[in-house]
């Protein structure tokens, strides 16, 4: 019994290290790269989002309290999230935009995505997404300190919840190697649903505490809207590329977080 429990804790710890080591700049050493560990890591991804979102919210909220203004607070939050991930997901978003915009066959489109440079489609999409995030967060901070801080947290968690869908069992990899191949199809539907319900309850309660039933509803709808938009992108990418890559997962994170933030702003600024 003790040995089984010890193995379970060790496996959970390995998954947690994998999640923080690959999805953030936090100094965590990844010791196991096998697919079962990758599956546990993806289930921990929303927790990584919550930690990064809290760190960004502290920075942005502090500036807001020091009368830095909603716009400066929003820029600080978006910049902090990018820095805390080394721009990993933004890079994936730009690469996917270039791959889809190239209108080339799957193999050639994947080659475009793998190239180190960023094309015009990537630049355009990156610019529009960052502007949308800053504008939405600035509006949320205009509605109050807590609505802005909770918006950052919602965006960060919603973005990582999309990874559960992206790595769900049955989702194929587009390449035989790389991060996408390691995590594709590693998340079972049951644990994914349980994780989603947990974060919906936690952030719904945070919304209630921040502003009553209206903000609780806004938080829940944001957590639904974001991953749904990311799932639509996933379906298109699977049809175009034949499966997922690490870039596709990064694009899903940014799509989900941005969509969740826009919807949240409609409630927070009302």
């Amino acid at each position: 019994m003790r040995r089984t429990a010890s193995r379970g804790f060790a496996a959970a710890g390995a998954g947690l290290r994998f999640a923080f080591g690959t999805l953030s700049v936090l100094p965590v050493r990844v010791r196991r790269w096998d697919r079962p560990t990758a599956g546990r890591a993806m289930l921990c991804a929303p927790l990584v989002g919550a930690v990064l979102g809290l760190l960004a919210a502290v920075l942005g909220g502090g500036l807001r309290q020091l009368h830095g203004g909603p716009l400066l607070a929003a820029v600080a939050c978006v910049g902090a999230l990018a820095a805390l991930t080394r721009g990993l997901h933004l890079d994936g978003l730009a690469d996917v935009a270039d791959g889809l915009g190239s209108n080339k066959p799957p193999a050639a489109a994947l080659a475009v995505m793998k190239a180190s440079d960023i094309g015009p489609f990537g630049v355009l999409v990156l610019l529009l997404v960052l502007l949308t995030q800053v504008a939405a967060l600035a509006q949320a901070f205009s509605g109050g300190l807590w609505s802005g801080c909770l918006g950052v947290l919602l965006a960060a968690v919603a973005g990582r919840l999309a990874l559960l869908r992206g790595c769900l069992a049955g989702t194929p990899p587009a390449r035989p190697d790389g991060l996408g191949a390691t995590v594709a199809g590693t998340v079972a539907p049951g644990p994914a649903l349980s994780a989603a319900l947990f974060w919906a309850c936690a952030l719904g309660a945070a919304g209630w505490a921040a502003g009553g039933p209206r903000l609780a509803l806004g938080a829940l709808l944001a957590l639904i809207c974001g991953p749904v938009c990311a799932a639509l992108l996933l379906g298109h990418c699977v049809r175009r590329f034949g499966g997922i890559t690490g870039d596709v997962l990064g694009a899903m994170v940014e799509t989900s977080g941005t969509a969740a933030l826009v919807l949240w702003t409609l409630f927070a600024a009302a």
Side-chain angles (χ1 to χ4, degrees), residues 109-128:
L110 288 171
V112 169
M113 291 165 58
K114 199 170 184 178
S116 59
D117 58 334
I118 299 179
F121 289 105
V123 171
L124 179 61
V125 170
L126 203 57
L127 180 63
L128 290 174

Side-chain angles (χ1 to χ4, degrees), residues 7-221:
R7 288 176 179 173
F9 281 121
L16 197 60
R17 284 192 294 271
F18 190 114
F20 278 96
T22 56
L23 299 176
S24 78
V25 298
L26 299 180
V28 178
R29 180 177 297 179
V30 180
R31 298 174 181 172
R32 291 175 57 178
W33 289 89
D34 54 276
R35 282 174 57 80
T37 301
R40 286 186 285 269
M42 293 304 100
L43 289 173
C44 295
L47 176 60
V48 177
V51 172
L52 301 186
L54 284 172
L55 292 174
V58 168
L59 176 61
L63 288 172
R64 183 72 177 89
Q65 283 293 88
L66 293 172
H67 308 292
L71 182 57
L72 181 59
V75 171
C77 290
V78 172
L81 287 176
L84 287 168
T85 59
R86 295 191 185 93
L88 176 68
H89 309 309
L90 291 169
D91 179 68
L93 176 67
D95 287 342
V96 168
D98 282 333
L100 292 175
S102 70
N103 201 30
K104 293 182 178 181
L110 288 171
V112 169
M113 291 165 58
K114 199 170 184 178
S116 59
D117 58 334
I118 299 179
F121 289 105
V123 171
L124 179 61
V125 170
L126 203 57
L127 180 63
L128 290 174
V129 165
L130 288 172
L131 285 174
T132 300
Q133 291 176 357
V134 169
L137 259 182
Q139 187 69 11
F141 272 113
S142 296
L145 174 66
W146 291 111
S147 62
C149 290
L150 187 52
V152 181
L153 185 59
L154 277 168
V157 173
R160 280 73 184 173
L161 279 173
L163 293 177
L164 302 182
R165 175 62 189 90
C167 300
L168 203 62
T171 305
R175 298 191 185 99
D177 55 0
L179 179 62
T182 302
V183 301
T186 58
V187 177
L193 180 59
S194 297
L197 289 175
F198 169 81
W199 288 105
C201 291
L203 293 178
W208 190 290
R214 178 174 60 84
L215 291 190
L217 177 63
L220 292 175
L221 290 178

Side-chain angles (χ1 to χ4, degrees), residues 165-166 170-172 233-244 248:
R165 175 62 189 90
T171 305
L233 174 63
L234 170 67
H236 185 55
C237 289
V238 170
R239 289 190 296 271
R240 282 284 285 111
F241 307 137
I244 65 165
V248 171

